[in-house]
Amino acid sequence: MKEDNCLHAALLCLGMLSYTLAMATERLNSSRLSLHGHHEKGKEGQVLHRSKRGWVWNQFFVIEEYTGPDPVLVGRLHSDIDSGDGNIKYILSGEGAGIIFVIDDKSGNIHATKTLDREERAQYTLTAQAVDRNTNRPLEPPSEFIVKVQDINDNPPEFLHENYHANVPERSNVGTSVIQVTASDADDPTYGNSAKLVYSILEGQPYFSVEAQTGIIRTALPNMDREAKEEYHVVIQAKDMGGHMGGLSGTTKVTITLTDVNDNPPKFPQSVYQMSISEAAVPGEEAGRVKAKDPDIGENGLVAYNIIDGDGMEIFEITTDYETQEGVVKLKKHLDYETKKTYSLKVEAANVHIDPKFINNGPFKDTVTVKINVEDADEPPVFLAPSYILEVEENAGPGALVGRVHAKDPDAKNSPIRYSIDRHTDLDRYFSISSENGSIMTIKKLDREEIAWHNISILAAEIREYLKK
């Protein structure tokens, strides 16, 4: 059977591959691809018809990053009409022709003269043609073919961020999603496992885990308590080659902070508070403060105080100082030491915001006893009557008894009282008073026709104050 002239392409594999792979690749890429339609007999004598068409080429491959001493043989062009006498000239044009790819115009061998990087360019489109060396007359129509840069695992995975920060509520259920970290690999995802990534956790166990395929970090322990440990440092690795030995890897750091939930009730640090306040204090004056401790923070740690029992409920009140989280006990009514010297209050501290999910941790309140002692104030003496009307005859001589006033010390110690006349009210000194018993006597003879009424003020003081004057 007469064959049409044909141009063939043979892929010669690189010495970097094993001999077996090289032979298989050569057999794959050395299949005879006809330039013109022709007939071939099959093994059983049948005729295979192939319609007339342009050149059809298998893709040529060259491995990236080859650093051998000689140019890489990519493949070979050959025409059936090439009898080896040198009359046929092979021409190569297209992307990288003459710069990256050169052709031996006699043998048709194509070499790559530069190291190629698939991540910079994955393939090159070239055009092959056979012409008469003497006349440059085309002997074959031109045909395009592709040289693909074959990937090697030369790029480690890289995470989008060097550091990640994430929050997750304390006491989250096991398996709660915290954050997803993502790495990328510049190698060819369609070839081998060079870009197939697997995630693993290097630091942060047993508190956290990571999904191997997705990079989602999840909680791995139940009941993680913020009050025990608030911040965790996790290191995640992404490894290519499906995580197998020999794969390249990259890591990232993840700082995970446990956020607060209301899982702790307020608690008073003591069972009884002792306070004291003067009986002279006015309503609104502070008697003392109590404070229940709550390790939660923010609104979860807010505490409100109330008086729920005690004999001082009508005398005292309590308010909440939200800046200090203290309960402020204040006087509501006047006190009298001589009437009641002590009071007792039962104070409750309760969380303002309660999380229903942790209601079983409750009750979210605590109580404490507050004992308040009333201090005796040094009160001035008190007259038995607010005013006195006394009579004396006008012809009474000096030293006549007019009458007597009486005052007492309301304090429990009942200090002795001393009396005196306010001389601003008795400028002419008509009267005198016994400092010890309050008896008023005349000093001068009185005349009703001159002065019918004498209005004088009597002063009473405790003896220690009297002696200071």
Side-chain angles (χ1 to χ4, degrees):
M1 179 180 66
K2 182 180 179 181
E3 292 186 350
D4 294 333
N5 297 332
C6 296
L7 185 66
H8 304 285
L11 171 62
L12 304 183
C13 296
L14 304 179
M16 294 174 62
L17 300 177
S18 68
Y19 175 76
T20 302
L21 179 58
M23 294 300 295
T25 307
E26 183 176 354
R27 287 197 298 271
L28 175 65
N29 290 319
S30 64
S31 53
R32 298 163 65 87
L33 305 170
S34 65
L35 171 61
H36 302 291
H38 65 277
H39 297 82
E40 294 180 357
K41 287 187 177 180
K43 290 182 179 179
E44 299 180 358
Q46 69 184 70
V47 178
L48 301 178
H49 298 277
R50 186 174 297 177
S51 59
K52 186 175 182 180
R53 53 182 175 154
W55 285 359
V56 179
W57 296 91
N58 284 337
Q59 295 173 337
F60 284 172
F61 295 87
V62 60
I63 293 180
E64 67 170 333
E65 306 293 350
Y66 177 72
T67 57
D70 301 318
V72 179
L73 179 60
V74 178
R76 182 184 181 189
L77 302 180
H78 183 71
S79 173
D80 285 345
I81 63 173
D82 188 351
S83 60
D85 56 6
N87 289 328
I88 292 182
K89 180 181 180 181
Y90 295 101
I91 298 174
L92 189 67
S93 61
E95 297 173 341
I99 301 174
I100 299 174
F101 302 102
V102 296
I103 190 170
D104 185 323
D105 63 2
K106 292 183 178 180
S107 66
N109 289 339
I110 302 173
H111 288 84
T113 61
K114 293 185 177 180
T115 299
L116 302 179
D117 186 350
R118 189 201 66 84
E119 286 70 44
E120 291 183 2
R121 187 162 188 166
Q123 66 181 35
Y124 296 82
T125 302
L126 298 166
T127 301
Q129 192 171 25
V131 301
D132 185 286
R133 184 175 295 277
N134 297 317
T135 64
N136 283 330
R137 178 177 62 85
L139 303 176
E140 310 282 0
S143 181
E144 286 187 350
F145 64 96
I146 294 174
V147 176
K148 275 199 168 184
V149 182
Q150 191 166 346
D151 187 46
I152 63 171
N153 189 21
D154 61 339
N155 290 281
E158 292 185 359
F159 283 92
L160 298 180
H161 304 287
E162 184 177 353
N163 294 284
Y164 289 82
H165 296 272
N167 299 323
V168 65
E170 62 174 330
R171 300 194 181 277
S172 293
N173 294 330
V174 172
T176 299
S177 175
V178 179
I179 189 177
Q180 183 175 22
V181 294
T182 304
S184 60
D185 195 309
D187 292 321
D188 188 355
T190 65
Y191 179 77
N193 292 324
S194 296
K196 184 178 181 181
L197 305 184
V198 170
Y199 298 92
S200 60
I201 185 167
L202 301 183
E203 294 180 23
Q205 295 174 312
Y207 307 102
F208 298 93
S209 63
V210 65
E211 291 185 356
Q213 305 303 321
T214 64
I216 296 175
I217 299 174
R218 299 184 182 275
T219 56
L221 279 184
N223 298 321
M224 285 193 288
D225 189 3
R226 183 199 67 85
E227 287 73 36
K229 185 176 182 179
E230 184 175 7
E231 192 172 87
Y232 294 82
H233 298 280
V234 177
V235 176
I236 300 297
Q237 174 184 266
K239 190 174 184 180
D240 60 21
M241 298 300 292
H244 294 302
M245 185 179 297
L248 304 178
S249 64
T251 60
T252 188
K253 296 179 181 179
V254 185
T255 300
I256 301 176
T257 302
L258 297 185
T259 56
D260 188 54
V261 299
N262 189 10
D263 58 338
N264 293 283
K267 187 72 176 176
F268 285 105
Q270 59 199 70
S271 59
V272 178
Y273 283 83
Q274 297 283 350
M275 300 178 184
S276 60
I277 187 170
S278 171
E279 65 173 331
V282 297
E285 192 166 327
E286 182 177 319
R289 296 188 173 213
V290 297
K291 185 173 184 178
K293 295 183 178 180
D294 191 324
D296 295 321
I297 59 176
E299 68 174 19
N300 296 318
L302 292 180
V303 177
Y305 298 88
N306 289 288
I307 298 174
I308 60 174
D309 199 6
D311 59 7
M313 291 183 68
E314 299 300 321
I315 305 299
F316 295 93
E317 62 183 356
I318 191 167
T319 59
T320 302
D321 186 336
Y322 285 105
E323 289 188 4
T324 63
Q325 286 295 292
E326 294 174 310
V328 185
V329 180
K330 295 181 179 180
L331 183 64
K332 189 163 63 172
K333 294 181 179 180
H334 287 285
L335 298 169
D336 186 2
Y337 172 83
E338 288 70 33
T339 303
K340 189 171 177 62
K341 297 179 176 60
T342 62
Y343 292 90
S344 179
L345 303 174
K346 188 176 184 180
V347 174
E348 178 185 83
N351 276 141
V352 176
H353 302 282
I354 297 177
D355 192 334
K357 291 187 296 184
F358 302 100
I359 196 69
N360 292 333
N361 290 26
F364 285 83
K365 56 187 178 182
D366 193 20
T367 59
V368 72
T369 298
V370 178
K371 293 185 178 297
I372 303 175
N373 294 318
V374 180
E375 296 177 341
D376 186 24
D378 190 12
E379 299 177 84
V382 178
F383 284 96
L384 299 184
S387 63
Y388 292 84
I389 298 177
L390 304 176
E391 294 182 353
V392 64
E393 292 183 358
E394 67 173 330
N395 58 356
L401 178 64
V402 178
R404 183 182 178 188
V405 295
H406 185 72
K408 69 174 183 176
D409 184 3
D411 297 326
K413 58 187 177 182
N414 195 20
S415 298
I417 304 300
R418 294 293 180 263
Y419 302 93
S420 62
I421 295 175
D422 182 355
R423 289 303 173 186
H424 292 94
T425 61
D426 184 28
L427 295 176
D428 292 327
R429 293 182 174 268
Y430 283 101
F431 303 97
S432 66
I433 190 170
S434 171
S435 63
E436 294 184 1
N437 61 24
S439 297
I440 301 173
M441 294 172 291
T442 59
I443 297 178
K444 297 178 180 181
K445 184 178 180 181
L446 304 177
D447 187 351
R448 189 189 67 81
E449 283 71 33
E450 288 185 8
I451 304 175
W453 285 91
H454 292 268
N455 293 314
I456 62 175
S457 296
I458 305 300
L459 304 176
E462 295 178 16
I463 187 171
R464 57 187 176 81
E465 295 295 329
Y466 179 84
L467 295 176
K468 290 179 181 179
K469 297 180 181 179

